[in-house]
């Protein structure tokens, strides 16, 4: 899969040092993935939440951080929509961001 944009992850882990290793691990796993539908994501990420409009919420580092992506399965593209702490996530609408 192609992840757009890694820069957002790098900026976040620059501010939140504890997020670097788990976010980098997610990024490299996602790049290697060939997800065709949400069920394939759930096979490897049991705690991922599947939302409408092809959005997925990943719990990162024991749920310390939340990553919301929008996926275009047909073209194999993952768009990073949000990365933040659990408390920051509580202040947004994951289905609209």
């Amino acid at each position: 899969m192609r992840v757009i944009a890694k820069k957002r992850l790098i900026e976040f882990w620059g501010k939140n040092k504890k997020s670097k290793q788990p976010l980098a691990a997610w990024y490299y796993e996602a790049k290697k993935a060939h997800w065709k539908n949400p069920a394939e994501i759930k096979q490897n990420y049991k705690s991922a939440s599947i939302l409408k409009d092809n959005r997925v919420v990943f719990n990162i580092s024991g749920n310390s951080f939340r990553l919301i992506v929008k996926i275009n399965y047909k073209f194999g593209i993952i768009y990073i929509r949000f990365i933040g702490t659990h408390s920051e996530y509580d202040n947004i609408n994951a289905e609209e961001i």
Side-chain angles (χ1 to χ4, degrees):
M1 308 279 301
R2 183 172 169 210
V3 180
I4 299 174
K6 182 181 179 184
K7 181 180 177 182
R8 291 183 78 179
L9 296 177
I10 293 169
E11 288 172 354
F12 185 79
W13 74 48
K15 299 175 196 168
N16 298 278
K17 303 296 182 201
K18 292 181 180 182
S19 71
K20 182 176 182 176
Q21 190 281 327
L23 281 174
W26 175 89
Y27 173 79
Y28 289 110
E29 287 177 20
K31 277 189 61 139
K32 293 179 188 176
H34 299 284
W35 298 319
K36 300 294 182 203
N37 57 57
E40 291 183 3
I41 294 171
K42 289 294 275 185
Q43 288 176 347
N44 292 327
Y45 293 93
K46 306 275 188 243
S47 66
S49 298
I50 307 300
L51 306 177
K52 66 181 182 180
D53 198 26
N54 293 323
R55 293 175 192 266
V56 181
V57 179
F58 291 94
N59 299 317
I60 306 293
S61 190
N63 210 18
S64 295
F65 307 102
R66 295 277 179 96
L67 172 65
I68 302 173
V69 301
K70 184 172 181 173
I71 302 175
N72 183 321
Y73 295 100
K74 181 178 178 180
F75 295 105
I77 301 173
I78 300 170
Y79 300 94
I80 296 173
R81 306 297 299 152
F82 171 85
I83 178 65
T85 64
H86 195 157
S87 61
E88 290 169 334
Y89 173 83
D90 289 341
N91 293 317
I92 63 150
N93 184 337
E95 294 183 348
E96 293 181 3
I97 197 159

